[in-house]
Amino acid sequence: MDSIIYLTGRFHPLIVHLPVALLPLAGIFWALSKYNKFKSLEATVTPLLVVGSLAALGSMLSGFALASGGNYDEALLNKHRGLGIVSTVIGLVSLFLQVRASNPKILWALFAMLVVAVSLTGHWGGMLTHGESWFAMEPPPKNSDVLEKLKVISIDSSSNAQLYSDLVAPLLDAKCVNCHNAQKQKGELRLDNPENILKGGKHGLLVDVSKPEKSELLLRIQKSIEEKGHMPPRQEGQLENLEVELLKWWITAGAPFDKSVAQVPPPALLTKLWQAKPVEGLNDWLPTKSIDIAKQSVIDSLEKYGFKITSVGQSSNYLSITTAGERAIANRGWAQLSKLSAYVVELDASYVSLTDDALKAVAALTQLRRLKLNNTNLNDEGVKTLSSLSELRSLHVTGTKLTSASQSILTELKNLKELFVFGTGLTNTSLTLANVKVNTGNYDLPKLPTDTMVYKVK
Amino acid sequence: MTDKFKKLQSITRRHFLFESVTGLGALAAANLLGSCSTPSPAAQAFASNPMKPRAPHFPGKAKSVIYLHMAGAPSQLELFDYKPELAKLHNQKCPQSFLEGKQFAFIRGVPKMLGPQATFKQRGQSGAWISDYLPHLSSVADELSFLKAVNTDQFNHAPAQLFMHTGTPRLGRPSIGSWVTYGLGTENQNLPGFVVLTSGGKTPDAGKSVWGSGFLPSVYQGVQCRSEGDPILFLSDPEGVSRELKHETISAINTINQETFKDFNDPETLTRIHQYELAYRMQISVPEVMNINTEPQAIHELYGTKPGKTSFANNCLLARKLVEQGVRFVQLFDWGWDSHGTDVDNAVNIGLRNKCREIDRPISALILDLKQRGLLDQTLIVWGGEFGRTPMQENRDDAEMPFLGRDHHADAFTMFMAGGGITPGITWGETDEIGYAPVQGKTSVHDVQATILNQLGMNHEQLTYQFQGRPFRLTDVSGNVISVIAS
């Protein structure tokens, strides 16, 4: 019997669409039919009321079944249920009176009340399902917002940031509270305030103070995404690695609500992870200004000369060009390259024999962030033309004939962050450029006795 | 009889069957031909060159991948996962709790515990644990990031290798390299986009399917190159055929192929056209790039190459040269890591040391060589096996083994990544005191695959291919990018 009630309840969100659509529609068509232009709509009102009211009865039944399963905010549920019953009654009365062709004034009043009642019932029903924040003015915070907060609140051992209210609570708000709040309690669990977190839910307590690592919350967020019971559910936004560790830190400390970071120092793993420096790359140096897409005809004609042109990403109109596989590009091709000077942020012309025209063309690419001219015939003279590339962050000139004479030119590249000079004459001098990581290469691995030791049975 | 009856009588069973068949055939044809509508400009561009370089979903840091797969499953307990508690339990009977409900490949009955056979130290600034089996790798420890709680659900080689490389333990799906070239094409149009190099004496257990293209057009399958003799078989011109004659022949064949493609729209025809043209270009480009003899002596010493023979060191040097020339995905397989202890060659304290010596210098050299050429930040290096090895001493059929060895262990093993924009110096994931189960930072095979795609600028959920009525992807239906190392 229980399962029949449960199954009936499951149909409530389905059936409810009928009265929500048909009953107000009956009212609207009835009102319209009072004008000569829409007189023909009069015939539709009774059928609409019949189907709508029957469906409303079905919604009521399934609604009772669904409500019996619990999990909904009592106050809101009572409002919804009460007005739902009222809507059904008004619908039936309207039907009765409409069929009896009663006084239009009464019917006007009834239909108006019907539209209002059904709309309000539906609105409350939506809130029961999706939470009060459904029509929020702002979208919920994205992952990066929460993690950025974590990084900004200085995680040093003397920090006064509150572990729960400054770090854990915003994370729960962003990723968990949508389904575990006052209006919606999946698994009979609320995560929106300390009291309710400690209460736990259908599957017991969230935090096990005697064995914190075995706490239900931790077990669920550490399961693989395909395992049963994994939280957050697969179709929702997932927790980042660091967010999992943050919750672990807090729970292992006994889920304190009133301690600061200084009083509950983070585990070594978290400190290490926070200190880790990500590698910088082209996607960190891209221009912030957006730009309209380059002309396809220009790209097509350049590709005929041997340039391979792609955008840096489908979401961006900035371009990355490589000459991979080519050993020479016609001067006319180089000349045309300037047409894309506003777009090209990366150029790899390694192994190509560069003419003066080629270098002039490269120097005209003012938006270049990364330039690779490895193993080309670039020399000290040629580098002079490149000094105009003010936005350059990364320059690769390995295997070229550059000497220390180029050093002064390279200092003119104000935004340069990394320089690769392996196999050039620049490795002989002690090349120092302020704020630039210079890689001279020539790495060596020492000869070890184990390099030649073959292990056999003793 | 009336005319109506006569007419009905003249319609025999034969007519009925014939009309049904034509009718059903028409239905089928409509379905098939439905896909033969005029291709969109994007599809046409794709059709003319399926390997053309394409933009990733979002700007990523890596342009190429070098995947180093140690076929047989290297023992993480002798290389990276330091377990002093396990040393204390050496030679003791394995507690029942670790055996209950578990399926082992070869262990039967109650095995003994096997302590780590290597000495471990923390290396570099990052403090990564690396054993003395890999001294050179220890010197580049700060470039690496370790995943120590990778887990899989396959405990035999072939299905596990398929799972690692195609996202499912069963045959028929494309490998990572195929997905990557399908999504991004390749930069150098004179070389294959996906190259495979093997060493160690045998092909991995899963066979060529681990670099196969599955249901993707076969233009995306891995091209196996040999590091000894002719890099690609049957590439050079036969006697009496000049290169010009070859070119004319291929052009003529492809003109006919183009017509065939217009008629039938079969992607395999495109593959054929593309491969003929690529083979022609490869006649010049491949011998050039695959010739390691032109490299300076210093480089040979760095890698420890063995010119003229097949070796992992040669393959690492080749991988660098291929990536330098704009190849998108280079897959290296080294066979011989299955340290069961049945033989001296697969004893964890003897044979495994020799295997480590074979890879230690080359991998470290590869990282350093890519770094000095400015390629490391844009080349993602992935190292790992298909599963791990047990903390228990293997006892095949409940008998004592001639040598020390470990059985297959799917629950937790170690992989590492370097370059390609991965945040270096991180160790993510931890196993319990004896290295048996993951306790923190559990990572699935699909997570690793999602991360590889992420570094290349691709969203693993968006890189799909329509097949058998639904979209397929490398990571099947799961996988999360490992955000703590990805960027």
Side-chain angles (χ1 to χ4, degrees), chain A residues 269-291:
Chain A
L269 175 65
L270 262 183
T271 327
K272 197 138 182 268
L273 291 176
W274 268 314
Q275 285 166 356
K277 283 195 182 54
V279 173
E280 267 194 43
L282 189 65
N283 54 4
D284 299 308
W285 305 323
L286 288 174
T288 43
K289 202 174 63 143
S290 66
I291 195 173

mmCIF file of all heavy atoms in Angstrom, chain A residues 269-291:
data_model
loop_
_atom_site.group_PDB
_atom_site.id
_atom_site.type_symbol
_atom_site.label_atom_id
_atom_site.label_comp_id
_atom_site.label_asym_id
_atom_site.label_seq_id
_atom_site.Cartn_x
_atom_site.Cartn_y
_atom_site.Cartn_z
ATOM 1 N N LEU A 269 48.643 19.083 4.161
ATOM 2 C CA LEU A 269 48.305 18.926 2.743
ATOM 3 C C LEU A 269 47.685 20.197 2.187
ATOM 4 O O LEU A 269 48.061 20.685 1.126
ATOM 5 C CB LEU A 269 47.327 17.756 2.576
ATOM 6 C CG LEU A 269 46.789 17.544 1.161
ATOM 7 C CD1 LEU A 269 47.896 17.144 0.221
ATOM 8 C CD2 LEU A 269 45.697 16.477 1.161
ATOM 9 N N LEU A 270 46.726 20.776 2.918
ATOM 10 C CA LEU A 270 46.052 21.986 2.432
ATOM 11 C C LEU A 270 47.026 23.145 2.307
ATOM 12 O O LEU A 270 47.016 23.874 1.314
ATOM 13 C CB LEU A 270 44.921 22.390 3.388
ATOM 14 C CG LEU A 270 43.531 21.944 2.974
ATOM 15 C CD1 LEU A 270 42.501 22.472 3.948
ATOM 16 C CD2 LEU A 270 43.208 22.417 1.583
ATOM 17 N N THR A 271 47.857 23.334 3.314
ATOM 18 C CA THR A 271 48.817 24.438 3.262
ATOM 19 C C THR A 271 49.705 24.283 2.035
ATOM 20 O O THR A 271 49.954 25.238 1.299
ATOM 21 C CB THR A 271 49.709 24.457 4.518
ATOM 22 O OG1 THR A 271 48.940 24.001 5.617
ATOM 23 C CG2 THR A 271 50.245 25.835 4.793
ATOM 24 N N LYS A 272 50.167 23.040 1.801
ATOM 25 C CA LYS A 272 51.039 22.783 0.661
ATOM 26 C C LYS A 272 50.311 23.087 -0.647
ATOM 27 O O LYS A 272 50.863 23.722 -1.549
ATOM 28 C CB LYS A 272 51.444 21.315 0.697
ATOM 29 C CG LYS A 272 52.622 21.002 -0.135
ATOM 30 C CD LYS A 272 53.580 20.051 0.565
ATOM 31 C CE LYS A 272 54.779 19.833 -0.336
ATOM 32 N NZ LYS A 272 54.631 18.690 -1.196
ATOM 33 N N LEU A 273 49.058 22.644 -0.725
ATOM 34 C CA LEU A 273 48.310 22.849 -1.964
ATOM 35 C C LEU A 273 48.072 24.325 -2.209
ATOM 36 O O LEU A 273 48.150 24.803 -3.328
ATOM 37 C CB LEU A 273 46.976 22.099 -1.905
ATOM 38 C CG LEU A 273 47.078 20.586 -1.927
ATOM 39 C CD1 LEU A 273 45.712 19.958 -1.755
ATOM 40 C CD2 LEU A 273 47.697 20.108 -3.221
ATOM 41 N N TRP A 274 47.763 25.070 -1.105
ATOM 42 C CA TRP A 274 47.528 26.491 -1.281
ATOM 43 C C TRP A 274 48.775 27.223 -1.719
ATOM 44 O O TRP A 274 48.716 28.231 -2.389
ATOM 45 C CB TRP A 274 47.020 27.115 0.033
ATOM 46 C CG TRP A 274 45.537 27.123 0.109
ATOM 47 C CD1 TRP A 274 44.676 27.505 -0.860
ATOM 48 C CD2 TRP A 274 44.744 26.704 1.211
ATOM 49 N NE1 TRP A 274 43.378 27.363 -0.419
ATOM 50 C CE2 TRP A 274 43.390 26.884 0.842
ATOM 51 C CE3 TRP A 274 45.035 26.213 2.484
ATOM 52 C CZ2 TRP A 274 42.335 26.577 1.706
ATOM 53 C CZ3 TRP A 274 43.980 25.921 3.329
ATOM 54 C CH2 TRP A 274 42.643 26.113 2.936
ATOM 55 N N GLN A 275 49.939 26.708 -1.309
ATOM 56 C CA GLN A 275 51.178 27.387 -1.656
ATOM 57 C C GLN A 275 51.674 27.033 -3.042
ATOM 58 O O GLN A 275 52.551 27.708 -3.576
ATOM 59 C CB GLN A 275 52.278 27.015 -0.654
ATOM 60 C CG GLN A 275 52.103 27.698 0.684
ATOM 61 C CD GLN A 275 52.981 27.065 1.749
ATOM 62 O OE1 GLN A 275 53.655 26.067 1.500
ATOM 63 N NE2 GLN A 275 52.957 27.623 2.927
ATOM 64 N N ALA A 276 51.120 25.973 -3.619
ATOM 65 C CA ALA A 276 51.619 25.523 -4.926
ATOM 66 C C ALA A 276 51.381 26.599 -5.970
ATOM 67 O O ALA A 276 50.323 27.213 -6.017
ATOM 68 C CB ALA A 276 50.917 24.235 -5.325
ATOM 69 N N LYS A 277 52.398 26.832 -6.801
ATOM 70 C CA LYS A 277 52.282 27.895 -7.799
ATOM 71 C C LYS A 277 51.913 27.287 -9.148
ATOM 72 O O LYS A 277 52.687 26.512 -9.699
ATOM 73 C CB LYS A 277 53.625 28.624 -7.922
ATOM 74 C CG LYS A 277 53.892 29.577 -6.820
ATOM 75 C CD LYS A 277 55.045 30.538 -7.196
ATOM 76 C CE LYS A 277 55.365 31.497 -6.069
ATOM 77 N NZ LYS A 277 55.639 30.843 -4.777
ATOM 78 N N PRO A 278 50.751 27.630 -9.684
ATOM 79 C CA PRO A 278 50.416 27.105 -11.003
ATOM 80 C C PRO A 278 51.366 27.672 -12.062
ATOM 81 O O PRO A 278 51.948 28.734 -11.881
ATOM 82 C CB PRO A 278 48.995 27.603 -11.258
ATOM 83 C CG PRO A 278 48.572 28.318 -10.047
ATOM 84 C CD PRO A 278 49.735 28.542 -9.168
ATOM 85 N N VAL A 279 51.479 26.941 -13.163
ATOM 86 C CA VAL A 279 52.336 27.379 -14.265
ATOM 87 C C VAL A 279 51.583 28.413 -15.087
ATOM 88 O O VAL A 279 50.387 28.283 -15.313
ATOM 89 C CB VAL A 279 52.677 26.145 -15.144
ATOM 90 C CG1 VAL A 279 53.404 26.554 -16.393
ATOM 91 C CG2 VAL A 279 53.496 25.161 -14.346
ATOM 92 N N GLU A 280 52.278 29.448 -15.534
ATOM 93 C CA GLU A 280 51.626 30.444 -16.382
ATOM 94 C C GLU A 280 51.709 30.040 -17.834
ATOM 95 O O GLU A 280 52.712 29.468 -18.274
ATOM 96 C CB GLU A 280 52.313 31.801 -16.219
ATOM 97 C CG GLU A 280 51.668 32.657 -15.162
ATOM 98 C CD GLU A 280 52.121 34.095 -15.241
ATOM 99 O OE1 GLU A 280 52.191 34.622 -16.375
ATOM 100 O OE2 GLU A 280 52.413 34.658 -14.201
ATOM 101 N N GLY A 281 50.644 30.354 -18.571
ATOM 102 C CA GLY A 281 50.666 29.995 -19.979
ATOM 103 C C GLY A 281 49.878 31.005 -20.789
ATOM 104 O O GLY A 281 49.380 32.006 -20.261
ATOM 105 N N LEU A 282 49.712 30.710 -22.080
ATOM 106 C CA LEU A 282 49.065 31.654 -22.988
ATOM 107 C C LEU A 282 47.683 32.071 -22.487
ATOM 108 O O LEU A 282 47.282 33.230 -22.617
ATOM 109 C CB LEU A 282 48.946 31.022 -24.385
ATOM 110 C CG LEU A 282 48.484 31.965 -25.488
ATOM 111 C CD1 LEU A 282 49.502 33.050 -25.728
ATOM 112 C CD2 LEU A 282 48.251 31.186 -26.780
ATOM 113 N N ASN A 283 46.961 31.107 -21.882
ATOM 114 C CA ASN A 283 45.605 31.451 -21.466
ATOM 115 C C ASN A 283 45.576 32.419 -20.283
ATOM 116 O O ASN A 283 44.528 32.934 -19.927
ATOM 117 C CB ASN A 283 44.762 30.194 -21.181
ATOM 118 C CG ASN A 283 45.416 29.260 -20.189
ATOM 119 O OD1 ASN A 283 46.481 29.560 -19.642
ATOM 120 N ND2 ASN A 283 44.787 28.121 -19.947
ATOM 121 N N ASP A 284 46.743 32.673 -19.639
ATOM 122 C CA ASP A 284 46.801 33.695 -18.593
ATOM 123 C C ASP A 284 47.162 35.052 -19.159
ATOM 124 O O ASP A 284 47.022 36.072 -18.485
ATOM 125 C CB ASP A 284 47.856 33.312 -17.538
ATOM 126 C CG ASP A 284 47.527 32.007 -16.863
ATOM 127 O OD1 ASP A 284 46.397 31.877 -16.369
ATOM 128 O OD2 ASP A 284 48.398 31.112 -16.837
ATOM 129 N N TRP A 285 47.707 35.075 -20.421
ATOM 130 C CA TRP A 285 48.200 36.336 -20.955
ATOM 131 C C TRP A 285 47.295 36.936 -22.016
ATOM 132 O O TRP A 285 47.637 37.965 -22.602
ATOM 133 C CB TRP A 285 49.585 36.113 -21.594
ATOM 134 C CG TRP A 285 50.600 35.500 -20.693
ATOM 135 C CD1 TRP A 285 50.759 35.734 -19.357
ATOM 136 C CD2 TRP A 285 51.608 34.552 -21.032
ATOM 137 N NE1 TRP A 285 51.808 34.997 -18.864
ATOM 138 C CE2 TRP A 285 52.343 34.268 -19.879
ATOM 139 C CE3 TRP A 285 51.984 33.929 -22.246
ATOM 140 C CZ2 TRP A 285 53.428 33.364 -19.867
ATOM 141 C CZ3 TRP A 285 53.046 33.050 -22.244
ATOM 142 C CH2 TRP A 285 53.746 32.773 -21.062
ATOM 143 N N LEU A 286 46.164 36.286 -22.281
ATOM 144 C CA LEU A 286 45.330 36.736 -23.397
ATOM 145 C C LEU A 286 44.827 38.156 -23.172
ATOM 146 O O LEU A 286 44.569 38.556 -22.034
ATOM 147 C CB LEU A 286 44.140 35.803 -23.568
ATOM 148 C CG LEU A 286 44.459 34.421 -24.132
ATOM 149 C CD1 LEU A 286 43.224 33.557 -24.122
ATOM 150 C CD2 LEU A 286 45.007 34.531 -25.546
ATOM 151 N N PRO A 287 44.647 38.919 -24.249
ATOM 152 C CA PRO A 287 44.106 40.273 -24.094
ATOM 153 C C PRO A 287 42.704 40.209 -23.496
ATOM 154 O O PRO A 287 41.941 39.284 -23.779
ATOM 155 C CB PRO A 287 44.040 40.818 -25.532
ATOM 156 C CG PRO A 287 44.799 39.871 -26.368
ATOM 157 C CD PRO A 287 44.912 38.576 -25.645
ATOM 158 N N THR A 288 42.382 41.183 -22.650
ATOM 159 C CA THR A 288 41.072 41.165 -22.010
ATOM 160 C C THR A 288 39.987 41.730 -22.916
ATOM 161 O O THR A 288 38.832 41.408 -22.781
ATOM 162 C CB THR A 288 41.101 41.980 -20.716
ATOM 163 O OG1 THR A 288 41.830 43.181 -20.974
ATOM 164 C CG2 THR A 288 41.767 41.211 -19.600
ATOM 165 N N LYS A 289 40.419 42.582 -23.861
ATOM 166 C CA LYS A 289 39.446 43.211 -24.766
ATOM 167 C C LYS A 289 38.895 42.143 -25.708
ATOM 168 O O LYS A 289 39.644 41.313 -26.215
ATOM 169 C CB LYS A 289 40.203 44.267 -25.579
ATOM 170 C CG LYS A 289 39.346 45.362 -26.161
ATOM 171 C CD LYS A 289 40.233 46.420 -26.813
ATOM 172 C CE LYS A 289 41.015 45.834 -27.965
ATOM 173 N NZ LYS A 289 41.157 46.760 -29.074
ATOM 174 N N SER A 290 37.596 42.176 -25.969
ATOM 175 C CA SER A 290 37.073 41.223 -26.952
ATOM 176 C C SER A 290 37.204 41.832 -28.339
ATOM 177 O O SER A 290 37.280 43.044 -28.499
ATOM 178 C CB SER A 290 35.618 40.870 -26.654
ATOM 179 O OG SER A 290 34.821 42.006 -26.842
ATOM 180 N N ILE A 291 37.227 40.966 -29.339
ATOM 181 C CA ILE A 291 37.487 41.444 -30.696
ATOM 182 C C ILE A 291 36.582 40.683 -31.651
ATOM 183 O O ILE A 291 36.254 39.523 -31.414
ATOM 184 C CB ILE A 291 38.987 41.224 -31.021
ATOM 185 C CG1 ILE A 291 39.404 42.005 -32.252
ATOM 186 C CG2 ILE A 291 39.311 39.763 -31.193
ATOM 187 C CD1 ILE A 291 40.902 41.941 -32.494
#
